[in-house]
mmCIF file of all heavy atoms in Angstrom:
data_model
loop_
_atom_site.group_PDB
_atom_site.id
_atom_site.type_symbol
_atom_site.label_atom_id
_atom_site.label_comp_id
_atom_site.label_asym_id
_atom_site.label_seq_id
_atom_site.Cartn_x
_atom_site.Cartn_y
_atom_site.Cartn_z
ATOM 1 N N LEU A 285 -8.762 -9.647 19.654
ATOM 2 C CA LEU A 285 -8.018 -8.469 20.170
ATOM 3 C C LEU A 285 -8.612 -7.990 21.462
ATOM 4 O O LEU A 285 -9.811 -7.858 21.614
ATOM 5 C CB LEU A 285 -8.051 -7.344 19.105
ATOM 6 C CG LEU A 285 -7.302 -7.601 17.804
ATOM 7 C CD1 LEU A 285 -7.512 -6.459 16.880
ATOM 8 C CD2 LEU A 285 -5.803 -7.804 18.054
ATOM 9 N N ALA A 286 -7.783 -7.684 22.419
ATOM 10 C CA ALA A 286 -8.214 -7.144 23.718
ATOM 11 C C ALA A 286 -8.651 -5.739 23.569
ATOM 12 O O ALA A 286 -8.298 -5.037 22.555
ATOM 13 C CB ALA A 286 -7.075 -7.227 24.750
ATOM 14 N N PRO A 287 -9.438 -5.212 24.453
ATOM 15 C CA PRO A 287 -9.838 -3.784 24.328
ATOM 16 C C PRO A 287 -8.662 -2.899 24.358
ATOM 17 O O PRO A 287 -7.696 -3.066 25.100
ATOM 18 C CB PRO A 287 -10.694 -3.568 25.617
ATOM 19 C CG PRO A 287 -11.195 -4.928 26.008
ATOM 20 C CD PRO A 287 -10.112 -5.898 25.566
ATOM 21 N N GLY A 288 -8.682 -1.877 23.511
ATOM 22 C CA GLY A 288 -7.583 -0.925 23.382
ATOM 23 C C GLY A 288 -6.606 -1.317 22.283
ATOM 24 O O GLY A 288 -5.624 -0.580 22.010
ATOM 25 N N TYR A 289 -6.805 -2.465 21.641
ATOM 26 C CA TYR A 289 -5.928 -2.933 20.558
ATOM 27 C C TYR A 289 -6.725 -2.907 19.273
ATOM 28 O O TYR A 289 -7.852 -3.247 19.215
ATOM 29 C CB TYR A 289 -5.358 -4.336 20.847
ATOM 30 C CG TYR A 289 -4.417 -4.398 22.008
ATOM 31 C CD1 TYR A 289 -4.894 -4.468 23.330
ATOM 32 C CD2 TYR A 289 -3.043 -4.371 21.811
ATOM 33 C CE1 TYR A 289 -4.041 -4.510 24.377
ATOM 34 C CE2 TYR A 289 -2.172 -4.427 22.855
ATOM 35 C CZ TYR A 289 -2.660 -4.505 24.200
ATOM 36 O OH TYR A 289 -1.791 -4.533 25.250
ATOM 37 N N SER A 290 -6.009 -2.494 18.181
ATOM 38 C CA SER A 290 -6.676 -2.396 16.884
ATOM 39 C C SER A 290 -5.714 -2.752 15.766
ATOM 40 O O SER A 290 -4.487 -2.794 16.002
ATOM 41 C CB SER A 290 -7.280 -0.983 16.691
ATOM 42 O OG SER A 290 -6.192 -0.020 16.711
ATOM 43 N N VAL A 291 -6.238 -2.981 14.565
ATOM 44 C CA VAL A 291 -5.446 -3.416 13.411
ATOM 45 C C VAL A 291 -5.819 -2.494 12.226
ATOM 46 O O VAL A 291 -6.983 -2.248 11.992
ATOM 47 C CB VAL A 291 -5.684 -4.863 13.057
ATOM 48 C CG1 VAL A 291 -5.044 -5.228 11.725
ATOM 49 C CG2 VAL A 291 -5.180 -5.790 14.147
ATOM 50 N N THR A 292 -4.781 -1.993 11.504
ATOM 51 C CA THR A 292 -5.001 -1.326 10.275
ATOM 52 C C THR A 292 -4.068 -1.891 9.222
ATOM 53 O O THR A 292 -3.184 -2.690 9.548
ATOM 54 C CB THR A 292 -4.727 0.206 10.407
ATOM 55 O OG1 THR A 292 -3.336 0.407 10.785
ATOM 56 C CG2 THR A 292 -5.663 0.867 11.434
ATOM 57 N N TYR A 293 -4.263 -1.514 7.986
ATOM 58 C CA TYR A 293 -3.516 -2.097 6.851
ATOM 59 C C TYR A 293 -2.803 -0.955 6.080
ATOM 60 O O TYR A 293 -3.424 0.065 5.767
ATOM 61 C CB TYR A 293 -4.425 -2.896 5.966
ATOM 62 C CG TYR A 293 -5.092 -4.024 6.670
ATOM 63 C CD1 TYR A 293 -6.318 -3.792 7.359
ATOM 64 C CD2 TYR A 293 -4.577 -5.269 6.719
ATOM 65 C CE1 TYR A 293 -6.950 -4.830 8.042
ATOM 66 C CE2 TYR A 293 -5.192 -6.296 7.427
ATOM 67 C CZ TYR A 293 -6.369 -6.076 8.051
ATOM 68 O OH TYR A 293 -6.952 -7.062 8.776
ATOM 69 N N GLY A 294 -1.523 -1.179 5.846
ATOM 70 C CA GLY A 294 -0.713 -0.141 5.184
ATOM 71 C C GLY A 294 0.202 -0.768 4.149
ATOM 72 O O GLY A 294 -0.076 -1.745 3.528
ATOM 73 N N GLY A 295 1.402 -0.124 3.999
ATOM 74 C CA GLY A 295 2.369 -0.572 3.005
ATOM 75 C C GLY A 295 1.914 -0.074 1.599
ATOM 76 O O GLY A 295 1.252 0.990 1.481
ATOM 77 N N GLN A 296 2.282 -0.830 0.587
ATOM 78 C CA GLN A 296 1.900 -0.412 -0.757
ATOM 79 C C GLN A 296 0.415 -0.502 -0.945
ATOM 80 O O GLN A 296 -0.182 0.110 -1.853
ATOM 81 C CB GLN A 296 2.636 -1.331 -1.805
ATOM 82 C CG GLN A 296 4.132 -1.233 -1.750
ATOM 83 C CD GLN A 296 4.622 0.178 -1.908
ATOM 84 O OE1 GLN A 296 4.189 0.901 -2.794
ATOM 85 N NE2 GLN A 296 5.585 0.549 -1.067
ATOM 86 N N PHE A 297 -0.288 -1.281 -0.114
ATOM 87 C CA PHE A 297 -1.741 -1.353 -0.154
ATOM 88 C C PHE A 297 -2.391 0.032 0.050
ATOM 89 O O PHE A 297 -3.449 0.289 -0.516
ATOM 90 C CB PHE A 297 -2.209 -2.394 0.891
ATOM 91 C CG PHE A 297 -3.723 -2.443 0.965
ATOM 92 C CD1 PHE A 297 -4.473 -3.036 -0.013
ATOM 93 C CD2 PHE A 297 -4.390 -1.911 2.079
ATOM 94 C CE1 PHE A 297 -5.851 -3.057 0.054
ATOM 95 C CE2 PHE A 297 -5.757 -1.952 2.192
ATOM 96 C CZ PHE A 297 -6.522 -2.538 1.191
ATOM 97 N N GLU A 298 -1.786 0.835 0.919
ATOM 98 C CA GLU A 298 -2.275 2.172 1.100
ATOM 99 C C GLU A 298 -2.251 2.935 -0.173
ATOM 100 O O GLU A 298 -3.210 3.675 -0.496
ATOM 101 C CB GLU A 298 -1.407 2.918 2.150
ATOM 102 C CG GLU A 298 -1.887 2.736 3.584
ATOM 103 C CD GLU A 298 -1.071 3.599 4.574
ATOM 104 O OE1 GLU A 298 0.144 3.566 4.434
ATOM 105 O OE2 GLU A 298 -1.674 4.223 5.433
ATOM 106 N N ASN A 299 -1.171 2.818 -0.987
ATOM 107 C CA ASN A 299 -1.127 3.483 -2.256
ATOM 108 C C ASN A 299 -2.214 3.017 -3.210
ATOM 109 O O ASN A 299 -2.769 3.744 -3.998
ATOM 110 C CB ASN A 299 0.267 3.261 -2.871
ATOM 111 C CG ASN A 299 1.379 3.814 -2.043
ATOM 112 O OD1 ASN A 299 1.207 4.742 -1.272
ATOM 113 N ND2 ASN A 299 2.603 3.233 -2.169
ATOM 114 N N LEU A 300 -2.502 1.694 -3.073
ATOM 115 C CA LEU A 300 -3.579 1.125 -3.916
ATOM 116 C C LEU A 300 -4.911 1.755 -3.583
ATOM 117 O O LEU A 300 -5.714 2.124 -4.484
ATOM 118 C CB LEU A 300 -3.677 -0.367 -3.698
ATOM 119 C CG LEU A 300 -4.764 -1.120 -4.411
ATOM 120 C CD1 LEU A 300 -4.529 -1.120 -5.870
ATOM 121 C CD2 LEU A 300 -4.836 -2.587 -3.931
ATOM 122 N N VAL A 301 -5.216 1.924 -2.305
ATOM 123 C CA VAL A 301 -6.458 2.533 -1.914
ATOM 124 C C VAL A 301 -6.564 4.013 -2.377
ATOM 125 O O VAL A 301 -7.537 4.430 -2.904
ATOM 126 C CB VAL A 301 -6.628 2.464 -0.339
ATOM 127 C CG1 VAL A 301 -7.874 3.215 0.079
ATOM 128 C CG2 VAL A 301 -6.705 1.015 0.081
ATOM 129 N N GLU A 302 -5.447 4.727 -2.237
ATOM 130 C CA GLU A 302 -5.409 6.100 -2.660
ATOM 131 C C GLU A 302 -5.550 6.211 -4.201
ATOM 132 O O GLU A 302 -6.266 7.058 -4.667
ATOM 133 C CB GLU A 302 -4.102 6.774 -2.202
ATOM 134 C CG GLU A 302 -3.976 6.912 -0.685
ATOM 135 C CD GLU A 302 -2.636 7.442 -0.254
ATOM 136 O OE1 GLU A 302 -1.780 7.670 -1.141
ATOM 137 O OE2 GLU A 302 -2.437 7.611 0.936
ATOM 138 N N ALA A 303 -4.889 5.287 -4.906
ATOM 139 C CA ALA A 303 -4.999 5.281 -6.375
ATOM 140 C C ALA A 303 -6.412 4.959 -6.794
ATOM 141 O O ALA A 303 -6.868 5.537 -7.795
ATOM 142 C CB ALA A 303 -4.031 4.284 -6.947
ATOM 143 N N ARG A 304 -7.080 4.053 -6.110
ATOM 144 C CA ARG A 304 -8.435 3.730 -6.434
ATOM 145 C C ARG A 304 -9.381 4.895 -6.258
ATOM 146 O O ARG A 304 -10.295 5.189 -7.105
ATOM 147 C CB ARG A 304 -8.924 2.562 -5.592
ATOM 148 C CG ARG A 304 -10.293 2.060 -5.903
ATOM 149 C CD ARG A 304 -10.605 0.799 -5.147
ATOM 150 N NE ARG A 304 -9.703 -0.284 -5.494
ATOM 151 C CZ ARG A 304 -9.664 -1.436 -4.820
ATOM 152 N NH1 ARG A 304 -10.482 -1.599 -3.755
ATOM 153 N NH2 ARG A 304 -8.849 -2.422 -5.240
ATOM 154 N N GLU A 305 -9.131 5.731 -5.226
ATOM 155 C CA GLU A 305 -9.910 6.925 -4.988
ATOM 156 C C GLU A 305 -9.652 7.939 -6.150
ATOM 157 O O GLU A 305 -10.570 8.586 -6.618
ATOM 158 C CB GLU A 305 -9.591 7.529 -3.675
ATOM 159 C CG GLU A 305 -10.034 6.683 -2.460
ATOM 160 C CD GLU A 305 -9.630 7.217 -1.139
ATOM 161 O OE1 GLU A 305 -8.848 8.196 -1.153
ATOM 162 O OE2 GLU A 305 -9.997 6.647 -0.071
ATOM 163 N N ARG A 306 -8.394 8.083 -6.509
ATOM 164 C CA ARG A 306 -8.075 9.004 -7.625
ATOM 165 C C ARG A 306 -8.695 8.492 -8.921
ATOM 166 O O ARG A 306 -9.109 9.299 -9.751
ATOM 167 C CB ARG A 306 -6.567 9.157 -7.745
ATOM 168 C CG ARG A 306 -5.878 9.916 -6.591
ATOM 169 C CD ARG A 306 -4.486 10.353 -6.978
ATOM 170 N NE ARG A 306 -3.651 9.207 -7.172
ATOM 171 C CZ ARG A 306 -2.876 8.616 -6.217
ATOM 172 N NH1 ARG A 306 -2.977 9.133 -4.992
ATOM 173 N NH2 ARG A 306 -2.131 7.606 -6.489
ATOM 174 N N LEU A 307 -8.656 7.173 -9.106
ATOM 175 C CA LEU A 307 -9.229 6.608 -10.337
ATOM 176 C C LEU A 307 -10.745 6.895 -10.411
ATOM 177 O O LEU A 307 -11.346 7.066 -11.485
ATOM 178 C CB LEU A 307 -8.981 5.106 -10.373
ATOM 179 C CG LEU A 307 -9.115 4.430 -11.737
ATOM 180 C CD1 LEU A 307 -8.098 4.978 -12.708
ATOM 181 C CD2 LEU A 307 -8.892 2.920 -11.600
ATOM 182 N N GLY A 308 -11.400 6.907 -9.240
ATOM 183 C CA GLY A 308 -12.854 7.223 -9.196
ATOM 184 C C GLY A 308 -13.116 8.627 -9.724
ATOM 185 O O GLY A 308 -14.228 8.923 -10.075
ATOM 186 N N ILE A 309 -12.116 9.483 -9.680
ATOM 187 C CA ILE A 309 -12.243 10.832 -10.236
ATOM 188 C C ILE A 309 -11.766 10.887 -11.652
ATOM 189 O O ILE A 309 -12.374 11.526 -12.539
ATOM 190 C CB ILE A 309 -11.482 11.830 -9.375
ATOM 191 C CG1 ILE A 309 -12.030 11.873 -7.922
ATOM 192 C CG2 ILE A 309 -11.539 13.249 -9.934
ATOM 193 C CD1 ILE A 309 -11.226 12.726 -6.933
ATOM 194 N N ALA A 310 -10.670 10.150 -11.951
ATOM 195 C CA ALA A 310 -10.072 10.238 -13.292
ATOM 196 C C ALA A 310 -10.949 9.680 -14.366
ATOM 197 O O ALA A 310 -11.032 10.251 -15.485
ATOM 198 C CB ALA A 310 -8.688 9.507 -13.261
ATOM 199 N N VAL A 311 -11.618 8.535 -14.104
ATOM 200 C CA VAL A 311 -12.418 7.856 -15.121
ATOM 201 C C VAL A 311 -13.632 8.750 -15.535
ATOM 202 O O VAL A 311 -13.810 9.018 -16.747
ATOM 203 C CB VAL A 311 -12.911 6.497 -14.638
ATOM 204 C CG1 VAL A 311 -13.934 5.925 -15.602
ATOM 205 C CG2 VAL A 311 -11.756 5.568 -14.502
ATOM 206 N N PRO A 312 -14.440 9.281 -14.575
ATOM 207 C CA PRO A 312 -15.551 10.201 -15.037
ATOM 208 C C PRO A 312 -14.973 11.452 -15.756
ATOM 209 O O PRO A 312 -15.639 11.885 -16.723
ATOM 210 C CB PRO A 312 -16.203 10.581 -13.693
ATOM 211 C CG PRO A 312 -15.883 9.459 -12.760
ATOM 212 C CD PRO A 312 -14.484 9.009 -13.159
ATOM 213 N N MET A 313 -13.889 11.948 -15.316
ATOM 214 C CA MET A 313 -13.293 13.135 -15.987
ATOM 215 C C MET A 313 -12.881 12.774 -17.413
ATOM 216 O O MET A 313 -13.139 13.544 -18.355
ATOM 217 C CB MET A 313 -12.090 13.678 -15.192
ATOM 218 C CG MET A 313 -12.467 14.367 -13.887
ATOM 219 S SD MET A 313 -13.380 15.883 -14.157
ATOM 220 C CE MET A 313 -12.156 16.854 -15.087
ATOM 221 N N ALA A 314 -12.313 11.609 -17.569
ATOM 222 C CA ALA A 314 -11.902 11.205 -18.923
ATOM 223 C C ALA A 314 -13.065 11.033 -19.820
ATOM 224 O O ALA A 314 -13.098 11.428 -21.030
ATOM 225 C CB ALA A 314 -11.107 9.837 -18.842
ATOM 226 N N LEU A 315 -14.168 10.391 -19.308
ATOM 227 C CA LEU A 315 -15.338 10.225 -20.132
ATOM 228 C C LEU A 315 -15.981 11.565 -20.485
ATOM 229 O O LEU A 315 -16.436 11.783 -21.650
ATOM 230 C CB LEU A 315 -16.363 9.407 -19.341
ATOM 231 C CG LEU A 315 -15.952 7.976 -19.069
ATOM 232 C CD1 LEU A 315 -17.024 7.256 -18.212
ATOM 233 C CD2 LEU A 315 -15.734 7.180 -20.346
ATOM 234 N N LEU A 316 -15.982 12.510 -19.540
ATOM 235 C CA LEU A 316 -16.489 13.851 -19.816
ATOM 236 C C LEU A 316 -15.701 14.546 -20.858
ATOM 237 O O LEU A 316 -16.268 15.162 -21.807
ATOM 238 C CB LEU A 316 -16.555 14.640 -18.509
ATOM 239 C CG LEU A 316 -17.100 16.096 -18.644
ATOM 240 C CD1 LEU A 316 -18.498 16.072 -19.108
ATOM 241 C CD2 LEU A 316 -16.963 16.863 -17.329
ATOM 242 N N LEU A 317 -14.388 14.504 -20.815
ATOM 243 C CA LEU A 317 -13.527 15.123 -21.796
ATOM 244 C C LEU A 317 -13.685 14.492 -23.174
ATOM 245 O O LEU A 317 -13.675 15.206 -24.191
ATOM 246 C CB LEU A 317 -12.043 15.046 -21.288
ATOM 247 C CG LEU A 317 -11.681 15.913 -20.153
ATOM 248 C CD1 LEU A 317 -10.254 15.599 -19.710
ATOM 249 C CD2 LEU A 317 -11.780 17.361 -20.485
ATOM 250 N N ILE A 318 -13.898 13.176 -23.177
ATOM 251 C CA ILE A 318 -14.083 12.475 -24.470
ATOM 252 C C ILE A 318 -15.382 13.039 -25.138
ATOM 253 O O ILE A 318 -15.398 13.342 -26.327
ATOM 254 C CB ILE A 318 -14.193 10.967 -24.291
ATOM 255 C CG1 ILE A 318 -12.839 10.413 -23.972
ATOM 256 C CG2 ILE A 318 -14.753 10.315 -25.531
ATOM 257 C CD1 ILE A 318 -12.831 8.953 -23.599
#
Side-chain angles (χ1 to χ4, degrees):
L285 294 175
Y289 292 82
S290 60
V291 171
T292 62
Y293 300 87
Q296 299 304 314
F297 174 72
E298 270 185 314
N299 299 333
L300 176 67
V301 174
E302 293 173 359
R304 184 174 295 171
E305 293 175 354
R306 290 195 296 268
L307 198 62
I309 300 174
V311 172
M313 287 295 296
L315 295 176
L316 179 62
L317 288 174
I318 288 174

